[in-house]
């Protein structure tokens, strides 16, 4: 499936890295890969037309901290995404150094947690994944932090512009061994939150419609209390009407949860369920055939790839992305060079220093369409649902607010079209419920669509 394009990096040192996010860091309208550096500086990898170059600002680099998780979202509604960087200096429980919440202040980046009036809100619990979620449909995002050995957090700006942890007030402040996070309209019409955990059951927080949540994991059959979750991803059912969820369990059986009217049922085939030392899980249409592939990034053993073929999920050959000795710690996808084919970036570290790797599908199908919804302020509308209809079938995506494990994908809905040469319509539903439909959109281009 994949060929190695790691030669695109300029100055790709072997070092310890973890989570990866995709955001327009420099405000030029094009996204970059943001990579968390563990005691060696964070990185921002930009496509300059022929190579990937690290353009990180010294403030964002922050080499004195040990970063593992990263996510982007427009916290203050100014049209530009903030970056939440989760730092850790211990495995679980209380840590010495807090997280960073970087905001661009006109001419420079600033850590909002460093301001005196935000000190009381600082997260001093070892965390794992971070998720950007617009729980009220205002276009302003909060950051959910899956902590390990302490309560989950949800950081938002209060009416006075101060950072506040509202998790206790909205039903999210549960204590567990937090790992992976995902936001999507799984069991309601709003952004529900699925959290896979270690040493305790998973959570499925259903959005009540008023900005608060209740855990319905037992009701929907997703608690999985004896496993240890890692990466999690949303998968569009082949008919394009509902969502499935795939997630990995550390050295345990991986799950493919198929949604039915009676709850979620694990339908992972044997090859997919087989245990591994799994980290990130990604669902994306890498070869533009019209169906998503599922990528399992493992640490210290070969990666895995699965595709929907002949009505079944089947194991595929990852090609050069097999990485049998790779120490994978994070991964994300983006069409970083703008050619309509996704790139897969994998970071490495934890038990040894390795460089970043980059892959792209070999001989992908050519037809595609990409949709980037925006908030009223003009920032990426993470959590928006995008649906397309071709003469053959329907597909849907959710603009990613955080998934994989420690990671966040590009804020664009990418659809391969296979042999289809027409899209009859595309529909966007923003987190506030507003919808917009475009008839006969042109294919093989990216449609940037403002909030109506």
């Amino acid at each position: 499936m994949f060929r190695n394009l790691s030669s695109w990096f300029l100055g790709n040192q072997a070092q310890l890295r973890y989570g990866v996010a995709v955001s327009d860091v420099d405000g030029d309208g094009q996204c970059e890969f943001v990579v968390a550096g563990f005691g060696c500086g964070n990185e921002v990898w930009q496509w300059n037309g022929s190579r990937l170059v690290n353009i990180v600002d010294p403030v964002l680099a922050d080499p004195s901290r040990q970063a593992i998780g990263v996510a982007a979202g427009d916290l203050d509604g100014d049209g530009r995404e903030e970056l939440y960087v989760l730092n850790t200096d211990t495995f679980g429980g209380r840590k010495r150094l807090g997280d960073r919440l970087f905001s661009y202040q006109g001419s420079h980046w600033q850590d909002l947690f460093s301001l005196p009036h935000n000190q009381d809100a600082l997260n001093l619990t070892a965390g794992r994944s971070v998720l950007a979620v617009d729980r009220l449909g205002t276009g302003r995002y909060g950051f959910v932090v899956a902590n390990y050995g302490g309560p989950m957090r949800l950081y938002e700006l209060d009416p006075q512009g101060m950072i506040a942890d509202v998790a206790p007030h909205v039903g999210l402040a549960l204590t567990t061994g937090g790992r992976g996070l995902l936001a999507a309209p799984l069991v309601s019409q709003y952004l529900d939150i699925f959290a896979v955990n270690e040493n305790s059951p998973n959570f499925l927080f259903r959005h009540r419609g008023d900005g608060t949540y209740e855990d319905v994991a037992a009701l929907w059959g997703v608690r999985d209390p004896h496993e240890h979750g890692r990466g999690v991803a949303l998968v569009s059912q082949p008919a394009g009407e509902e969502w499935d969820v795939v997630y990995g369990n550390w050295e345990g059986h991986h799950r493919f949860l198929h949604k039915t009217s009676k709850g979620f049922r694990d339908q992972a085939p044997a090859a997919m369920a087989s245990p591994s030392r799994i980290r990130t899980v990604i669902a994306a249409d890498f070869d533009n055939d019209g169906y998503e592939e599922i990528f399992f990034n493992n640490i210290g053993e070969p990666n895995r790839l699965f595709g929907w073929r002949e009505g079944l999920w089947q194991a595929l050959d990852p090609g050069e992305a097999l990485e049998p000795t790779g120490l994978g710690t994070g991964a994300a996808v983006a069409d970083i060079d703008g050619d309509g084919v996704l790139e897969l970036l994998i970071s490495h570290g934890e038990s040894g220093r390795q460089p970043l790797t980059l892959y792209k599908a070999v001989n992908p199908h050519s037809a595609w369409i990409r949709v980037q919804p925006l908030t009223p302020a003009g920032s990426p509308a993470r959590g928006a649902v995008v649906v397309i209809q071709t003469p053959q079938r329907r597909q849907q995506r959710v603009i990613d607010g955080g998934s994989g494990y420690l990671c966040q994908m590009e804020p664009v809905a990418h659809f391969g079209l296979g042999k289809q040469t027409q899209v009859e319509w595309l529909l966007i539903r923003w987190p506030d419920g507003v919808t917009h439909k475009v008839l006969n959109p042109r294919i093989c281009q990216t449609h940037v669509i403002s909030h109506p």
Side-chain angles (χ1 to χ4, degrees):
M1 169 71 76
F2 292 108
R3 58 192 174 104
N4 193 328
L5 298 176
S6 303
S7 61
W8 284 8
F9 289 105
L10 184 63
N12 181 14
Q13 302 291 327
Q15 55 193 41
L16 300 179
R17 300 176 174 95
Y18 276 89
V20 184
V22 184
S23 177
D24 179 10
V25 177
D26 61 354
D28 68 349
Q30 304 298 319
C31 283
E32 291 82 38
F33 286 112
V34 183
V35 182
F38 193 77
C40 55
N42 305 314
E43 299 166 326
V44 176
W45 292 95
Q46 180 189 68
W47 178 251
N48 70 0
S50 60
R51 304 289 295 274
L52 283 166
V53 295
N54 182 16
I55 62 164
V56 70
D57 177 275
V59 175
L60 294 181
D62 199 21
S64 65
R65 298 290 173 97
Q66 296 173 323
I68 58 171
V70 60
D74 187 359
L75 179 77
D76 54 10
D78 68 349
R80 188 158 179 170
E81 291 193 306
E82 277 66 44
L83 288 173
Y84 192 109
V85 179
L86 196 157
N87 299 300
T88 192
D89 45 58
T90 186
F91 179 81
R94 188 170 178 83
K95 61 187 180 184
R96 293 187 306 106
L97 300 176
D99 300 337
R100 301 290 200 188
L101 182 46
F102 293 111
S103 179
Y104 193 72
Q105 302 294 312
S107 61
H108 63 281
W109 289 94
Q110 183 177 46
D111 172 28
L112 299 183
F113 279 130
S114 69
L115 301 178
H117 58 268
N118 291 327
Q119 287 290 298
D120 290 343
L122 188 61
N123 181 38
L124 289 174
T125 304
R128 295 298 185 270
S129 293
V130 186
L131 169 73
V133 62
D134 180 5
R135 69 179 177 92
L136 297 174
T138 62
R140 296 190 175 203
Y141 288 78
F143 290 99
V144 180
V145 181
N147 278 329
Y148 198 101
M152 296 177 65
R153 309 275 187 162
L154 172 53
Y155 288 114
E156 297 178 350
L157 288 185
D158 68 13
Q160 289 72 44
M162 298 170 59
I163 297 174
D165 175 21
V166 301
H169 310 293
V170 303
L172 294 179
L174 301 185
T175 297
T176 185
R179 289 292 184 174
L181 293 169
L182 178 72
L186 287 171
V187 294
S188 77
Q189 61 182 318
Y190 306 99
L191 287 176
D192 308 310
I193 298 173
F194 183 54
V196 295
N197 300 316
E198 181 172 273
N199 295 317
S200 61
N202 299 330
F203 303 140
L204 176 53
F205 295 106
R206 184 182 71 86
H207 194 294
R208 290 191 175 107
D210 60 358
T212 66
Y213 299 86
E214 61 177 334
D215 182 18
V216 296
L219 178 65
W220 285 88
V222 299
R223 294 179 78 245
D224 209 8
H226 304 298
E227 296 291 352
H228 308 293
R230 290 296 189 274
V232 56
L234 194 67
V235 183
S236 176
Q237 291 185 359
E241 302 290 342
E242 271 293 359
W243 307 105
D244 294 329
V245 176
V246 59
Y247 66 91
N249 284 314
W250 179 258
E251 297 184 329
H253 288 93
H254 309 316
R255 309 297 188 192
F256 185 94
L257 300 182
H258 177 68
K259 187 181 179 183
T260 72
S261 60
K262 298 181 179 180
F264 288 92
R265 299 290 182 266
D266 183 17
Q267 296 185 357
M272 185 182 293
S274 179
S276 68
R277 297 168 59 85
I278 194 163
R279 302 304 291 255
T280 303
V281 175
I282 293 175
D285 189 353
F286 292 106
D287 60 2
N288 285 350
D289 69 344
Y291 295 90
E292 291 171 290
E293 286 76 45
I294 298 172
F295 179 75
F296 284 1
N297 179 28
N298 295 313
I299 182 169
E301 59 183 85
N303 297 325
R304 300 182 191 171
L305 185 69
F306 305 92
W308 183 257
R309 305 291 187 268
E310 300 177 351
L312 297 170
W313 285 103
Q314 301 182 24
L316 305 178
D317 181 3
E320 295 179 349
L322 185 67
E323 294 195 354
T325 59
L327 301 174
T329 50
V333 294
D335 179 14
I336 203 68
D337 62 351
D339 68 349
V341 182
L342 293 174
E343 282 78 37
L344 167 67
L345 182 148
I346 303 177
S347 63
H348 308 85
E350 188 162 299
S351 55
R353 289 175 171 79
Q354 291 183 341
L356 299 166
T357 50
L358 189 75
Y359 300 97
K360 180 180 285 196
V362 176
N363 299 321
H365 300 264
S366 59
W368 52 275
I369 187 170
R370 289 165 55 80
V371 184
Q372 184 175 14
L374 303 179
T375 68
S379 63
R382 297 186 186 270
V385 176
V386 183
V387 185
I388 68 165
Q389 178 70 53
T390 71
Q392 181 186 40
R393 57 187 285 266
R394 186 171 297 183
Q395 298 187 56
Q396 61 181 3
R397 304 282 189 270
V398 172
I399 305 300
D400 190 50
S403 63
Y405 172 53
L406 316 174
C407 300
Q408 185 187 57
M409 308 301 129
E410 65 171 351
V412 182
H414 177 93
F415 301 94
L417 300 177
K419 297 180 180 179
Q420 296 296 300
T421 59
Q422 177 189 3
V423 174
E424 296 176 346
W425 51 261
L426 69 83
L427 176 73
I428 301 171
R429 184 173 72 251
W430 277 264
D432 61 0
V434 171
T435 62
H436 180 66
K437 195 172 189 177
V438 178
L439 300 178
N440 299 311
R442 291 185 178 181
I443 66 171
C444 296
Q445 72 178 55
T446 298
H447 297 261
V448 179
I449 300 180
S450 299
H451 189 280

PDB file of all heavy atoms in Angstrom, residues 146-174:
ATOM      1  N   ALA A 146      -7.582  13.699  28.975  1.00  0.00           N
ATOM      2  CA  ALA A 146      -7.724  12.378  29.583  1.00  0.00           C
ATOM      3  C   ALA A 146      -6.548  12.169  30.524  1.00  0.00           C
ATOM      4  O   ALA A 146      -5.450  11.822  30.094  1.00  0.00           O
ATOM      5  CB  ALA A 146      -7.757  11.289  28.507  1.00  0.00           C
ATOM      6  N   ASN A 147      -6.774  12.394  31.804  1.00  0.00           N
ATOM      7  CA  ASN A 147      -5.719  12.253  32.796  1.00  0.00           C
ATOM      8  C   ASN A 147      -5.587  10.806  33.274  1.00  0.00           C
ATOM      9  O   ASN A 147      -6.530  10.024  33.196  1.00  0.00           O
ATOM     10  CB  ASN A 147      -5.976  13.168  33.994  1.00  0.00           C
ATOM     11  CG  ASN A 147      -5.519  14.588  33.745  1.00  0.00           C
ATOM     12  OD1 ASN A 147      -4.560  14.822  33.009  1.00  0.00           O
ATOM     13  ND2 ASN A 147      -6.204  15.555  34.342  1.00  0.00           N
ATOM     14  N   TYR A 148      -4.400  10.506  33.792  1.00  0.00           N
ATOM     15  CA  TYR A 148      -4.109   9.162  34.297  1.00  0.00           C
ATOM     16  C   TYR A 148      -3.902   9.257  35.805  1.00  0.00           C
ATOM     17  O   TYR A 148      -2.900   9.795  36.273  1.00  0.00           O
ATOM     18  CB  TYR A 148      -2.857   8.596  33.621  1.00  0.00           C
ATOM     19  CG  TYR A 148      -2.721   7.098  33.739  1.00  0.00           C
ATOM     20  CD1 TYR A 148      -3.059   6.263  32.679  1.00  0.00           C
ATOM     21  CD2 TYR A 148      -2.266   6.516  34.914  1.00  0.00           C
ATOM     22  CE1 TYR A 148      -2.938   4.885  32.780  1.00  0.00           C
ATOM     23  CE2 TYR A 148      -2.145   5.148  35.032  1.00  0.00           C
ATOM     24  CZ  TYR A 148      -2.488   4.336  33.959  1.00  0.00           C
ATOM     25  OH  TYR A 148      -2.371   2.967  34.069  1.00  0.00           O
ATOM     26  N   GLY A 149      -4.901   8.762  36.563  1.00  0.00           N
ATOM     27  CA  GLY A 149      -4.797   8.821  38.016  1.00  0.00           C
ATOM     28  C   GLY A 149      -5.319  10.099  38.617  1.00  0.00           C
ATOM     29  O   GLY A 149      -5.027  10.428  39.774  1.00  0.00           O
ATOM     30  N   GLY A 150      -6.104  10.829  37.856  1.00  0.00           N
ATOM     31  CA  GLY A 150      -6.723  12.068  38.329  1.00  0.00           C
ATOM     32  C   GLY A 150      -7.938  12.359  37.484  1.00  0.00           C
ATOM     33  O   GLY A 150      -8.160  11.727  36.442  1.00  0.00           O
ATOM     34  N   PRO A 151      -8.772  13.319  37.883  1.00  0.00           N
ATOM     35  CA  PRO A 151     -10.001  13.592  37.133  1.00  0.00           C
ATOM     36  C   PRO A 151      -9.735  14.143  35.741  1.00  0.00           C
ATOM     37  O   PRO A 151      -8.758  14.860  35.513  1.00  0.00           O
ATOM     38  CB  PRO A 151     -10.719  14.625  38.011  1.00  0.00           C
ATOM     39  CG  PRO A 151      -9.645  15.263  38.813  1.00  0.00           C
ATOM     40  CD  PRO A 151      -8.623  14.191  39.058  1.00  0.00           C
ATOM     41  N   MET A 152     -10.617  13.796  34.815  1.00  0.00           N
ATOM     42  CA  MET A 152     -10.581  14.391  33.484  1.00  0.00           C
ATOM     43  C   MET A 152     -10.849  15.887  33.596  1.00  0.00           C
ATOM     44  O   MET A 152     -11.506  16.351  34.529  1.00  0.00           O
ATOM     45  CB  MET A 152     -11.629  13.733  32.580  1.00  0.00           C
ATOM     46  CG  MET A 152     -11.384  12.266  32.308  1.00  0.00           C
ATOM     47  SD  MET A 152     -12.682  11.495  31.300  1.00  0.00           S
ATOM     48  CE  MET A 152     -12.479  12.401  29.756  1.00  0.00           C
ATOM     49  N   ARG A 153     -10.322  16.639  32.652  1.00  0.00           N
ATOM     50  CA  ARG A 153     -10.491  18.088  32.632  1.00  0.00           C
ATOM     51  C   ARG A 153     -11.202  18.515  31.348  1.00  0.00           C
ATOM     52  O   ARG A 153     -11.083  17.863  30.316  1.00  0.00           O
ATOM     53  CB  ARG A 153      -9.140  18.790  32.680  1.00  0.00           C
ATOM     54  CG  ARG A 153      -8.215  18.338  33.796  1.00  0.00           C
ATOM     55  CD  ARG A 153      -8.477  19.053  35.086  1.00  0.00           C
ATOM     56  NE  ARG A 153      -7.490  18.731  36.102  1.00  0.00           N
ATOM     57  CZ  ARG A 153      -7.285  19.457  37.192  1.00  0.00           C
ATOM     58  NH1 ARG A 153      -7.987  20.550  37.399  1.00  0.00           N
ATOM     59  NH2 ARG A 153      -6.370  19.094  38.077  1.00  0.00           N
ATOM     60  N   LEU A 154     -11.905  19.631  31.432  1.00  0.00           N
ATOM     61  CA  LEU A 154     -12.428  20.307  30.254  1.00  0.00           C
ATOM     62  C   LEU A 154     -12.169  21.798  30.432  1.00  0.00           C
ATOM     63  O   LEU A 154     -12.837  22.470  31.221  1.00  0.00           O
ATOM     64  CB  LEU A 154     -13.920  20.040  30.056  1.00  0.00           C
ATOM     65  CG  LEU A 154     -14.618  20.851  28.954  1.00  0.00           C
ATOM     66  CD1 LEU A 154     -13.878  20.724  27.625  1.00  0.00           C
ATOM     67  CD2 LEU A 154     -16.080  20.431  28.806  1.00  0.00           C
ATOM     68  N   TYR A 155     -11.172  22.294  29.709  1.00  0.00           N
ATOM     69  CA  TYR A 155     -10.761  23.690  29.834  1.00  0.00           C
ATOM     70  C   TYR A 155     -11.467  24.560  28.795  1.00  0.00           C
ATOM     71  O   TYR A 155     -11.396  24.297  27.592  1.00  0.00           O
ATOM     72  CB  TYR A 155      -9.254  23.815  29.665  1.00  0.00           C
ATOM     73  CG  TYR A 155      -8.474  23.286  30.838  1.00  0.00           C
ATOM     74  CD1 TYR A 155      -7.657  22.167  30.717  1.00  0.00           C
ATOM     75  CD2 TYR A 155      -8.550  23.900  32.083  1.00  0.00           C
ATOM     76  CE1 TYR A 155      -6.931  21.678  31.794  1.00  0.00           C
ATOM     77  CE2 TYR A 155      -7.837  23.431  33.169  1.00  0.00           C
ATOM     78  CZ  TYR A 155      -7.034  22.313  33.018  1.00  0.00           C
ATOM     79  OH  TYR A 155      -6.324  21.841  34.088  1.00  0.00           O
ATOM     80  N   GLU A 156     -12.143  25.589  29.288  1.00  0.00           N
ATOM     81  CA  GLU A 156     -12.786  26.580  28.445  1.00  0.00           C
ATOM     82  C   GLU A 156     -12.470  27.972  28.983  1.00  0.00           C
ATOM     83  O   GLU A 156     -11.960  28.108  30.102  1.00  0.00           O
ATOM     84  CB  GLU A 156     -14.311  26.367  28.413  1.00  0.00           C
ATOM     85  CG  GLU A 156     -14.741  25.046  27.820  1.00  0.00           C
ATOM     86  CD  GLU A 156     -16.240  24.820  27.846  1.00  0.00           C
ATOM     87  OE1 GLU A 156     -16.953  25.619  28.509  1.00  0.00           O
ATOM     88  OE2 GLU A 156     -16.698  23.860  27.233  1.00  0.00           O
ATOM     89  N   LEU A 157     -12.792  28.992  28.200  1.00  0.00           N
ATOM     90  CA  LEU A 157     -12.693  30.367  28.688  1.00  0.00           C
ATOM     91  C   LEU A 157     -14.006  30.765  29.331  1.00  0.00           C
ATOM     92  O   LEU A 157     -15.080  30.559  28.755  1.00  0.00           O
ATOM     93  CB  LEU A 157     -12.366  31.324  27.540  1.00  0.00           C
ATOM     94  CG  LEU A 157     -10.953  31.286  26.961  1.00  0.00           C
ATOM     95  CD1 LEU A 157     -10.794  32.384  25.917  1.00  0.00           C
ATOM     96  CD2 LEU A 157      -9.893  31.429  28.045  1.00  0.00           C
ATOM     97  N   ASP A 158     -13.934  31.355  30.531  1.00  0.00           N
ATOM     98  CA  ASP A 158     -15.148  31.822  31.187  1.00  0.00           C
ATOM     99  C   ASP A 158     -15.491  33.222  30.674  1.00  0.00           C
ATOM    100  O   ASP A 158     -14.744  33.810  29.875  1.00  0.00           O
ATOM    101  CB  ASP A 158     -14.995  31.768  32.709  1.00  0.00           C
ATOM    102  CG  ASP A 158     -13.985  32.775  33.261  1.00  0.00           C
ATOM    103  OD1 ASP A 158     -13.569  33.686  32.510  1.00  0.00           O
ATOM    104  OD2 ASP A 158     -13.622  32.651  34.440  1.00  0.00           O
ATOM    105  N   PRO A 159     -16.622  33.792  31.098  1.00  0.00           N
ATOM    106  CA  PRO A 159     -17.014  35.115  30.578  1.00  0.00           C
ATOM    107  C   PRO A 159     -15.996  36.218  30.833  1.00  0.00           C
ATOM    108  O   PRO A 159     -15.985  37.239  30.138  1.00  0.00           O
ATOM    109  CB  PRO A 159     -18.323  35.396  31.332  1.00  0.00           C
ATOM    110  CG  PRO A 159     -18.892  34.039  31.614  1.00  0.00           C
ATOM    111  CD  PRO A 159     -17.691  33.176  31.896  1.00  0.00           C
ATOM    112  N   GLN A 160     -15.125  36.037  31.821  1.00  0.00           N
ATOM    113  CA  GLN A 160     -14.083  37.031  32.096  1.00  0.00           C
ATOM    114  C   GLN A 160     -12.792  36.777  31.321  1.00  0.00           C
ATOM    115  O   GLN A 160     -11.799  37.479  31.503  1.00  0.00           O
ATOM    116  CB  GLN A 160     -13.770  37.052  33.597  1.00  0.00           C
ATOM    117  CG  GLN A 160     -14.866  37.658  34.459  1.00  0.00           C
ATOM    118  CD  GLN A 160     -16.084  36.765  34.581  1.00  0.00           C
ATOM    119  OE1 GLN A 160     -15.955  35.550  34.788  1.00  0.00           O
ATOM    120  NE2 GLN A 160     -17.261  37.346  34.438  1.00  0.00           N
ATOM    121  N   GLY A 161     -12.795  35.754  30.467  1.00  0.00           N
ATOM    122  CA  GLY A 161     -11.614  35.446  29.685  1.00  0.00           C
ATOM    123  C   GLY A 161     -10.574  34.635  30.413  1.00  0.00           C
ATOM    124  O   GLY A 161      -9.436  34.516  29.945  1.00  0.00           O
ATOM    125  N   MET A 162     -10.941  34.056  31.550  1.00  0.00           N
ATOM    126  CA  MET A 162     -10.028  33.218  32.313  1.00  0.00           C
ATOM    127  C   MET A 162     -10.260  31.746  31.972  1.00  0.00           C
ATOM    128  O   MET A 162     -11.372  31.342  31.659  1.00  0.00           O
ATOM    129  CB  MET A 162     -10.227  33.443  33.811  1.00  0.00           C
ATOM    130  CG  MET A 162      -9.928  34.854  34.266  1.00  0.00           C
ATOM    131  SD  MET A 162     -10.452  35.166  35.980  1.00  0.00           S
ATOM    132  CE  MET A 162      -9.484  33.931  36.862  1.00  0.00           C
ATOM    133  N   ILE A 163      -9.183  30.957  32.048  1.00  0.00           N
ATOM    134  CA  ILE A 163      -9.305  29.524  31.802  1.00  0.00           C
ATOM    135  C   ILE A 163      -9.977  28.871  33.009  1.00  0.00           C
ATOM    136  O   ILE A 163      -9.575  29.100  34.156  1.00  0.00           O
ATOM    137  CB  ILE A 163      -7.932  28.888  31.559  1.00  0.00           C
ATOM    138  CG1 ILE A 163      -7.293  29.480  30.297  1.00  0.00           C
ATOM    139  CG2 ILE A 163      -8.060  27.369  31.406  1.00  0.00           C
ATOM    140  CD1 ILE A 163      -5.878  29.007  30.065  1.00  0.00           C
ATOM    141  N   ALA A 164     -10.997  28.063  32.734  1.00  0.00           N
ATOM    142  CA  ALA A 164     -11.728  27.378  33.800  1.00  0.00           C
ATOM    143  C   ALA A 164     -11.897  25.915  33.438  1.00  0.00           C
ATOM    144  O   ALA A 164     -12.165  25.586  32.274  1.00  0.00           O
ATOM    145  CB  ALA A 164     -13.090  28.032  34.013  1.00  0.00           C
ATOM    146  N   ASP A 165     -11.744  25.058  34.446  1.00  0.00           N
ATOM    147  CA  ASP A 165     -12.033  23.640  34.267  1.00  0.00           C
ATOM    148  C   ASP A 165     -13.506  23.419  34.580  1.00  0.00           C
ATOM    149  O   ASP A 165     -13.917  23.457  35.745  1.00  0.00           O
ATOM    150  CB  ASP A 165     -11.150  22.797  35.189  1.00  0.00           C
ATOM    151  CG  ASP A 165     -11.505  21.313  35.138  1.00  0.00           C
ATOM    152  OD1 ASP A 165     -12.128  20.887  34.143  1.00  0.00           O
ATOM    153  OD2 ASP A 165     -11.167  20.582  36.093  1.00  0.00           O
ATOM    154  N   VAL A 166     -14.311  23.184  33.531  1.00  0.00           N
ATOM    155  CA  VAL A 166     -15.758  23.019  33.720  1.00  0.00           C
ATOM    156  C   VAL A 166     -16.167  21.554  33.776  1.00  0.00           C
ATOM    157  O   VAL A 166     -17.359  21.258  33.856  1.00  0.00           O
ATOM    158  CB  VAL A 166     -16.539  23.747  32.607  1.00  0.00           C
ATOM    159  CG1 VAL A 166     -16.197  25.234  32.596  1.00  0.00           C
ATOM    160  CG2 VAL A 166     -16.275  23.117  31.238  1.00  0.00           C
ATOM    161  N   ALA A 167     -15.201  20.628  33.729  1.00  0.00           N
ATOM    162  CA  ALA A 167     -15.527  19.205  33.738  1.00  0.00           C
ATOM    163  C   ALA A 167     -16.419  18.801  34.913  1.00  0.00           C
ATOM    164  O   ALA A 167     -17.364  18.027  34.734  1.00  0.00           O
ATOM    165  CB  ALA A 167     -14.245  18.367  33.718  1.00  0.00           C
ATOM    166  N   PRO A 168     -16.170  19.300  36.155  1.00  0.00           N
ATOM    167  CA  PRO A 168     -17.047  18.910  37.261  1.00  0.00           C
ATOM    168  C   PRO A 168     -18.491  19.357  37.073  1.00  0.00           C
ATOM    169  O   PRO A 168     -19.410  18.737  37.616  1.00  0.00           O
ATOM    170  CB  PRO A 168     -16.421  19.609  38.479  1.00  0.00           C
ATOM    171  CG  PRO A 168     -15.000  19.858  38.095  1.00  0.00           C
ATOM    172  CD  PRO A 168     -15.051  20.143  36.627  1.00  0.00           C
ATOM    173  N   HIS A 169     -18.715  20.424  36.328  1.00  0.00           N
ATOM    174  CA  HIS A 169     -20.054  20.987  36.163  1.00  0.00           C
ATOM    175  C   HIS A 169     -20.827  20.347  35.014  1.00  0.00           C
ATOM    176  O   HIS A 169     -22.053  20.491  34.957  1.00  0.00           O
ATOM    177  CB  HIS A 169     -19.958  22.493  35.934  1.00  0.00           C
ATOM    178  CG  HIS A 169     -19.107  23.194  36.937  1.00  0.00           C
ATOM    179  ND1 HIS A 169     -19.457  23.300  38.272  1.00  0.00           N
ATOM    180  CD2 HIS A 169     -17.892  23.806  36.831  1.00  0.00           C
ATOM    181  CE1 HIS A 169     -18.523  23.953  38.940  1.00  0.00           C
ATOM    182  NE2 HIS A 169     -17.558  24.278  38.083  1.00  0.00           N
ATOM    183  N   VAL A 170     -20.128  19.646  34.111  1.00  0.00           N
ATOM    184  CA  VAL A 170     -20.809  19.085  32.938  1.00  0.00           C
ATOM    185  C   VAL A 170     -20.803  17.561  32.924  1.00  0.00           C
ATOM    186  O   VAL A 170     -21.274  16.949  31.969  1.00  0.00           O
ATOM    187  CB  VAL A 170     -20.203  19.629  31.629  1.00  0.00           C
ATOM    188  CG1 VAL A 170     -20.273  21.155  31.610  1.00  0.00           C
ATOM    189  CG2 VAL A 170     -18.774  19.152  31.428  1.00  0.00           C
ATOM    190  N   GLY A 171     -20.271  16.933  33.970  1.00  0.00           N
ATOM    191  CA  GLY A 171     -20.342  15.479  34.073  1.00  0.00           C
ATOM    192  C   GLY A 171     -19.167  14.722  33.506  1.00  0.00           C
ATOM    193  O   GLY A 171     -19.274  13.523  33.247  1.00  0.00           O
ATOM    194  N   LEU A 172     -18.016  15.383  33.347  1.00  0.00           N
ATOM    195  CA  LEU A 172     -16.849  14.728  32.753  1.00  0.00           C
ATOM    196  C   LEU A 172     -15.725  14.437  33.743  1.00  0.00           C
ATOM    197  O   LEU A 172     -14.761  13.759  33.383  1.00  0.00           O
ATOM    198  CB  LEU A 172     -16.284  15.584  31.615  1.00  0.00           C
ATOM    199  CG  LEU A 172     -17.155  15.776  30.383  1.00  0.00           C
ATOM    200  CD1 LEU A 172     -16.441  16.673  29.377  1.00  0.00           C
ATOM    201  CD2 LEU A 172     -17.497  14.440  29.738  1.00  0.00           C
ATOM    202  N   ALA A 173     -15.816  14.924  34.962  1.00  0.00           N
ATOM    203  CA  ALA A 173     -14.672  14.866  35.882  1.00  0.00           C
ATOM    204  C   ALA A 173     -14.558  13.512  36.572  1.00  0.00           C
ATOM    205  O   ALA A 173     -14.534  13.422  37.804  1.00  0.00           O
ATOM    206  CB  ALA A 173     -14.773  15.978  36.911  1.00  0.00           C
ATOM    207  N   LEU A 174     -14.439  12.446  35.789  1.00  0.00           N
ATOM    208  CA  LEU A 174     -14.250  11.116  36.343  1.00  0.00           C
ATOM    209  C   LEU A 174     -12.756  10.806  36.411  1.00  0.00           C
ATOM    210  O   LEU A 174     -11.978  11.264  35.576  1.00  0.00           O
ATOM    211  CB  LEU A 174     -14.977  10.072  35.500  1.00  0.00           C
ATOM    212  CG  LEU A 174     -16.495  10.258  35.348  1.00  0.00           C
ATOM    213  CD1 LEU A 174     -17.102   9.092  34.589  1.00  0.00           C
ATOM    214  CD2 LEU A 174     -17.164  10.446  36.691  1.00  0.00           C
TER     215      LEU A 174
END
